[in-house]
Structures are given as structure tokens and as C-alpha cells.
Amino acid sequence: MNAANILIIEDDDLQYEIYEEALAQYRLTRVRNCSEALKKIPGDPPRALILDHVLAEGELGLEFLPELKELLPHVPIIIVSGALEVRQQMTALQGPRRAHYCLPKPVDVHDLRRIVETALKECGDAEVVRQFEALERSRRADAQELFSRSTDRLARQNRILELLGKSKERPNISSLAREFKVARRTIIRDLQELIRRGQLKPEVYPEWENPLPEED
């Protein structure tokens, strides 16, 4: 299997040597500022990105974070910097165009290795897949709930028909609502559906012919 490509935006040679040693199992690509990165990314998109804040040519990494996320919306970005205040770190980790991790310098190589491994495994494409799976589970749950509600309504309407068939009196809406533990409007809607399906004669219950608005 090909080693994952990690783009490192770092102008400090000594810091990059740390990355070369700590992340030797990956294919590392280095640029010295974000302007170079924005030119390079379309031809060789990385699986993960390590970003310094204070860069060559006076560039500041956080200012380029929205552009980097525009090009790499699902790629994990790991900020490694000793020049960020707590407020700046929190800002970088929030919002739709955020970084995934923020590490201080001097970086702990053990933390770096662990976070890079986690980012490659859990973020990026894997994160998108989990989001789609969660959406599908939600849709299935909604469909199951709708089916259950439909089944309950059909069973209730059949029971109402059975009760009406045994009695010569007009049904008591409040009494039926209490028996089935539903609102009065639900019982009226059931009677309207039974009329529409021809199971109740509309001339016997003319006040229930006009449909109620849909329930919230």
C-alpha cells in the first residue's frame, strides 16, 4: 500500500527535520508558505496537512485556513505552532472551515505521531463515510417510525369500525380519544379517513367530511 502523502507548510528547516524523522513512514511534501501550498495542492492533493502559523514571506497560516479548506474540505489539518494564543487556537478549531488539531511548539513527537495516525484513520474520507452512514441510519429510523405510526393508525381505525358496528349510537369522540389515548382531533381524522375509504357513510356523519389540517 502506498504511503499517505502529508503536506507540510513550514519554513523552519530544523522543525522540518523533526517531521522527517517522526513521520518517516509517510510521503512528506514540504512548502515554505501557504501561497506555495495553494499552487501545489491541485496537482498533488494530500491526505493530511501540517500547518505552521508564522511562515516565510510574512504569511500567517491561520489567515489562509479558509482557502486551504476550500481546496481540501475533507482533509484533516493539523496546526503546529508556538505563536498562537489560546483564543487563536480556539478560533482555528471552530466553525465549518476549521482545523482538526492544534499542537504547540516544541512539538512532542509521540503526540504528533499519534495525532497524524488518528487523523488519517478517522478524519478525511472516513469522516465523510461516517456522516453518510449516520444520515442513512436517521432516514431508516424515520421510515420505521412512519411505518409504525401508520400501522398503529390502521389498527385504531379497524377497532373504531368494530366499536361502531356494535353500537347504534353515534360515537362519543371524547370517549374514543380516552380509550385510545390520543387527541380528539386524531379520532376525528380517523373518522374522516374511514369516510373517504367508504367504510363509513358520509351522510350519517356529515360534520366529519371536511378534512382537518395535517398534524404537526
Side-chain angles (χ1 to χ4, degrees):
M1 183 178 295
N2 294 332
N5 175 27
I6 300 175
L7 177 61
I8 298 177
I9 307 176
E10 173 61 68
D11 64 331
D12 187 289
D13 292 338
L14 292 177
Q15 182 67 28
Y16 183 67
E17 288 178 9
I18 294 174
Y19 293 140
E20 285 185 308
E21 182 176 349
L23 305 174
Q25 70 269 41
Y26 304 110
R27 181 168 65 90
L28 304 184
T29 303
R30 178 197 182 187
V31 294
R32 293 180 179 274
N33 59 34
C34 292
S35 295
E36 292 181 29
L38 294 173
K39 294 176 184 177
K40 189 170 188 61
I41 286 171
D44 188 18
R47 289 270 311 281
L49 189 151
I50 295 176
L51 173 65
D52 189 18
H53 179 53
V54 179
L55 297 163
E57 309 300 328
E59 292 186 0
L60 298 177
L62 262 60
E63 293 182 356
F64 285 82
L65 190 56
E67 290 180 79
L68 293 169
K69 291 301 292 185
E70 188 74 24
L71 284 177
L72 302 168
H74 306 302
V75 170
I77 293 180
I78 304 165
I79 296 174
V80 181
S81 176
L84 294 178
E85 298 176 355
V86 173
R87 178 183 56 80
Q88 291 174 302
Q89 295 177 30
M90 294 300 294
T91 299
L93 294 171
Q94 295 173 346
R97 295 181 178 180
R98 61 180 174 83
H100 282 71
Y101 303 93
C102 193
L103 298 176
K105 285 183 180 179
V107 66
D108 184 305
V109 294
H110 299 292
D111 285 345
L112 177 66
R113 290 192 188 107
R114 176 180 54 81
I115 285 174
V116 168
E117 182 180 356
T118 300
L120 291 171
K121 184 183 299 183
E122 301 292 337
C123 304
D125 292 340
E127 192 172 14
V128 176
V129 169
R130 286 198 304 275
Q131 290 172 350
F132 276 114
E133 288 175 344
L135 181 61
E136 285 301 314
R137 286 195 297 271
S138 175
R139 287 174 175 169
R140 287 197 295 271
D142 288 345
Q144 185 174 2
E145 181 182 359
L146 287 172
F147 177 75
S148 177
R149 287 170 58 186
S150 176
T151 302
D152 290 345
R153 177 177 292 184
L154 183 60
R156 185 176 62 245
Q157 291 174 356
N158 287 336
R159 177 58 179 161
I160 288 173
L161 280 176
E162 183 180 346
L163 292 173
L164 293 182
K166 294 178 179 179
S167 174
K168 295 182 180 180
E169 299 180 359
R170 292 170 60 81
N172 185 308
I173 302 299
S174 297
S175 176
L176 289 172
R178 287 193 298 271
E179 178 173 345
F180 293 105
K181 296 180 174 60
V182 296
R184 283 172 48 86
R185 63 189 287 116
T186 300
I187 296 298
I188 295 174
R189 185 174 286 105
D190 286 336
L191 294 170
Q192 291 169 342
E193 289 186 11
L194 292 170
I195 290 172
R196 283 200 302 272
R197 295 203 298 262
Q199 293 173 279
L200 285 179
K201 295 181 179 180
E203 60 270 17
V204 180
Y205 309 105
E207 66 271 36
W208 297 326
E209 283 193 83
N210 296 322
L212 289 172
E214 289 297 323
E215 291 178 297
D216 295 334

